[in-house]
Amino acid sequence: MKILVATDKPFAAVAVEGIRKEIESCGGELVLLEKYGEKAKLLEAVKEVEGIIVRSDIIDAEVFDAAKNLKIVVRAGAGYDNIDLAAATAHNVCVMNTPGQNSNAVAELVFGMTVMLVRNFFNGTSGSELKGKKLGIHAFGQVGRNVARIAQGFGMKVYAFDPYCPSKVISEAGVNPIEDVNEMYKTCQFVSLHIPATEETKKSINYALLNQMPKGAVLINTARKEVINEEELVKLMEDRPDFKYISDIAPANAALFAEKFPGRYFFTPKKMGAQTAEANINAGIAAARQSVGFLTKGIDKFRVNK
Ligand code: 3PG
């Protein structure tokens, strides 16, 4: 039983060791491919293996074609928009994610970036505080729930919109459920995005939605860049000098932001949300356990394709 860990953005070494132990204790073999850069190396590495563990690495039809023995792909993380589910199903390969395992890390980054922004990038001038401010959480999944918990510690007033989550779950977390997405954007000076990138959500964060936000609006994106209508965001920031955008994923038109909006944006140089030892250990080991569980016992909990 060979399981490939293919991570262009590697896990912390301690997490890789945990994954290795998990696989070897079940008689398997770990094949490690880190920082591979070119797809050709990935296509070569997948040839022999029965399982693949990835992060945001693209697993498309070409990879499935090359991986003749493949039975399972586990995305060590939440979003699986990097995996071609239809191709996986066509090749009779099970795809899973590891929900919740890296969500606290992402939620902490939301506040790391937000505090840095409201304190003017620590440049010595007077900034502002989060206490008493309104935060809207767009999608109340695992990351959204952790964001709510931390926001409550800051003394923020917290709201959430999630058509797939019962209002009761939101209110039991001490958060105000909002049924109309427009209402949430109208209400909240800060909005944090936690929606997946799907056909429904791509480019859905647009001018009309964002322009409803109150003065001094801050949009925080630790989800996916695809959910933003980038052209419309630029137009909005041109029209509204009070609007700020911070993101864990630089937009395709990042150079424009540098030119037009100095001091009003921040982008991590590389996606950093899940980049903690703890998140790597949690998600990596969960992915190893799920791979072994499927390959040895057929356990398919957390399967995301049909
Ligand atoms: C996720 O979907 O789990 C996060 O976006 C983290 O992605 P990463 O593993 O590529 O850092």
Side-chain angles (χ1 to χ4, degrees), residues 267-286:
F267 307 135
T268 52
K270 199 164 202 172
K271 195 161 140 236
M272 290 294 295
Q275 221 28 346
T276 65
E278 292 89 340
N280 290 172
I281 291 168
N282 292 343
I285 292 180

Side-chain angles (χ1 to χ4, degrees), residues 210-222:
L210 295 172
N211 196 28
Q212 304 175 91
M213 289 177 73
K215 199 166 173 3
V218 177
L219 178 67
I220 308 144
N221 183 9
T222 54

Side-chain angles (χ1 to χ4, degrees), residues 30 39 42 52 60 83 97 120-121 153 165 172 176 182 205 207 252 256 277 279-280 288-289 299 303:
L30 167 71
K39 191 177 184 188
L42 176 65
I52 306 178
D60 58 14
I83 300 173
N97 65 349
N120 302 333
F121 302 94
C165 178
E172 277 173 3
N176 303 294
N182 292 300
I205 308 302
Y207 190 106
L256 262 183
N280 290 172
R289 283 198 184 131
I299 301 168
R303 182 176 187 134

